[in-house]
Amino acid sequence: MSFVLVRSALDQLVQVLEQDGYDVYGPVVVDSAIRYQLVHGIDELAIGVRDVQGPGHYSLVERSDDAMFGYTVGVASLKDLFFPPRRAVWSSVREGGTLRFEPAERPEPKIAVIGARACELAALAIHDTVLLGGEYKDADYLRRRTDSFIVSVDCTEPGEVCFCGSMGTGPAATTHFDLAMTELLVDGEWEYVGRFGSERGERILERVTHRHPDQIEISLVRSAVSGASDAMGRELSTVGLPEFLASHREHPAWADIAQRCLACGNCTQACPTCFCVSTLDTASLDGSRASRELRWDSCFSLDFSFMGGRPHRSTIDARYRQWLTHKLSGWVEQFGTSGCVGCGRCITWCPVGIDFTAEIPKMMERVDA
Amino acid sequence: MAKPTLAVWKFASCDGCQLCLLDLEDELLDIAGAIEIAHFAEATTAHVDGPYSVSLVEGSVTTQRELERIQSIRQQSETLVAIGACATAGGIQALKNLADVDEFIELVYATPSYIDSLQTSTPISAHVDVEIEVRGCPVNKYQLLELVGALLVGRKPDLPTYPVCIECKARGVSCVMVASGTPCLGPVTQAGCGAICPAFDRGCYGCFGPAETVNMDSLATRWRELGVDDERLLRSLRTFNAGAPGFAEAASSIETSTGG
Ligand code: SF4
Ligand code: SF4
Ligand code: SF4
Ligand code: SF4
């Protein structure tokens, strides 16, 4: 069950998706960083660039080739598309003595994404569990997800802050895609050797020029993916980690990290799995209309833990501990998986470059010593 | 039922925050429909005597007369809201708190005896109880609108105290400090502006004053790595909100640590 596309066929793919009413998003260079943007053709994509990431550092450099997916991960993840930072839930109108409630207007177009990474799909799987797995489903998320179409592209050159290998989420996509591809340069031509993830994916591809891969192409994909697994910039040993964090709520490391942590919340906002929101009600001046909005929140904000008249996580230590412990420990208990997919965004986009893959081993050593 | 009354007062300030209120062109009619504007010198010479349901106070206290006037306004106002960096932190003019004012006056004015000024510029809350503070230099007009709307129905206004970074990410800006190495005060500055400066590829200048949590020691370390010297660090904290506790303390600690 596999296929090969040449580069120009990707343009066909975009067109076919548009014909079917999709808004197609792909990786684009915006203000010196890569982000998912609405695209109408592949020439708009981030061709020939590579991202250099490190703790508190991100930059784009030119590649020596014109690979189309030759970067690791963008600034924002699929979270921004499926679980946007601000969204309306309902509005109400006062009519005489009663209130009439209306669900928020839903965006009509269906979302298609080209270039999603394995770690991002793992994060999507986590959001599906968190937002749709329980008794009360996030209706807006459900609608966006139900109609979505995902074309994943495997990572062949992981970055400096990547550790999907440790988290078991990459570098090749295994789930939650309609089509998945590996970008290969074969005899000077770019090829996209792919596999199907859904019937919907098969039906779409019927309308795009493709052929079957030969043995050489299949083995090239294998070695590209295994090469990527060996090239992870970071690693995190997860054996016993949830238990370790749960049993070390008191540890000198929290105060040490808090000296550096700004409590700015960038890690939680950049993380593809963080799902906390706060609810905000607004009303028109004459009181005739009101509306409710959900906004991304962060466990680094003081209001987040406001209970009984005061925030109970007033120190930065307590807030950093909440983030890390929820992500890597509490999450397992709550949802059955880690809350981290190893994308490295919290390391890169932390303005002071705090890197928990470095902090955790230090913490563990301090206990062992 | 009589409409609630709104009064807008000016102290030592540039009038910019009052102008933000006037700048709400599309919404002004709605505001005027919902409340009676009893005093607003920037907009009209009409004046209605107090008491007032809500007083918006722009500007800081820098003269003896202002000291007395703020007491009288407080007495006439059910709810008193300080708007802008001057009213909430003393404004740019609070820089005089760090200097010898008499020497300045001698140098600047031809006839120093004409000048009658206090030695300090202080926020409204240093003199009277203030129910709500709206930050910014100038304020964000939509925060003013939100404030008026919330007061009218008696709900809590949406005036978040978390840092600019939260708005920056929500707006889809790529952090300028991480992506371009541009020093930014966003992590220690209160949100409310909508992350305007980072959206235009500039670092935050801190015009909304200190956020709920300020870890300037750590941010200063980062700024120094980016090549910022202590003089510039001090200036960045001593601009619009030099008198705000979070920034003032951070600045003095930088000054002490560098023996400045
Ligand atoms: S915790 Fe960090 S590395 Fe893990 S998924 Fe979130 S942003 Fe990525
Ligand atoms: S780490 Fe914090 S912001 Fe993220 S999901 Fe957990 S509690 Fe929410
Ligand atoms: S760990 Fe970094 S990104 Fe997260 S709150 Fe602290 S300083 Fe901000
Ligand atoms: S640009 Fe400034 S405000 Fe925006 S995330 Fe970076 S540090 Fe925060």
Side-chain angles (χ1 to χ4, degrees), chain B residues 155-241:
Chain B
R155 69 177 163 82
K156 192 179 160 211
D158 170 39
L159 299 169
T161 55
Y162 51 60
V164 177
C165 298
I166 299 287
E167 287 186 324
C168 197
K169 283 280 180 291
R171 188 169 176 157
V173 173
S174 305
C175 175
V176 301
M177 202 142 63
V178 170
S180 332
T182 304
C184 180
L185 277 181
V188 296
T189 301
Q190 180 167 306
C193 63
I196 303 175
C197 292
F200 289 92
D201 210 16
R202 312 197 59 160
C204 162
Y205 292 94
C207 77
F208 271 59
E212 56 191 18
T213 307
V214 173
N215 184 350
M216 195 59 209
D217 280 350
S218 174
L219 189 61
T221 305
R222 179 78 179 116
W223 275 38
R224 290 187 185 106
E225 285 164 13
L226 295 172
V228 174
D229 61 20
D230 284 341
E231 193 190 329
R232 189 165 154 217
L233 250 173
L234 277 178
R235 275 182 189 277
S236 75
L237 293 167
R238 289 179 174 160
T239 309
F240 314 96
N241 288 283

Side-chain angles (χ1 to χ4, degrees), chain A residues 334-345:
Chain A
Q334 229 180 333
F335 304 113
T337 62
S338 172
C340 173
V341 298
C343 72
R345 284 188 182 84

Side-chain angles (χ1 to χ4, degrees), chain A residues 33 35 56-58 75 85 258-262 264 266 269 280-281 283 285 295 301-302 316 319 348-349 351-352, chain B residues 30-31 145-146 148-149 152 155 158 163 165-166 169-170 172-175 177-179 187 212-213 215 218-219 222:
Chain A
R35 294 184 168 275
H57 173 80
Y58 178 100
V75 188
Q259 299 233 306
R260 281 168 284 146
C261 175
L262 306 165
C264 65
N266 272 307
Q269 310 297 285
L280 188 91
D281 293 344
L285 284 172
R295 289 185 182 177
S301 86
L302 269 186
I316 302 181
R319 284 177 262 166
T348 297
W349 298 101
V352 291
Chain B
D30 284 346
I31 296 180
L145 190 66
E146 160 65 11
V148 173
L152 278 172
R155 69 177 163 82
D158 170 39
C165 298
I166 299 287
K169 283 280 180 291
V173 173
S174 305
C175 175
M177 202 142 63
V178 170
E212 56 191 18
T213 307
N215 184 350
S218 174
L219 189 61
R222 179 78 179 116

Side-chain angles (χ1 to χ4, degrees), chain A residues 163 271-272 323 327 339-346 356:
Chain A
F163 55 105
C271 178
W323 135 259
K327 197 103 285 204
C340 173
V341 298
C343 72
R345 284 188 182 84
C346 58
F356 67 62

Side-chain angles (χ1 to χ4, degrees), chain B residues 20-59:
Chain B
C20 287
L21 196 55
L22 281 180
D23 197 29
L24 280 166
E25 289 166 359
D26 297 339
E27 295 86 0
L28 268 181
L29 278 179
D30 284 346
I31 296 180
I35 43 183
E36 181 187 1
I37 297 181
H39 181 93
F40 187 3
E42 188 76 40
T44 165
T45 50
H47 170 85
V48 180
D49 285 338
Y52 309 104
S53 316
V54 180
S55 277
L56 302 183
V57 180
E58 175 201 82

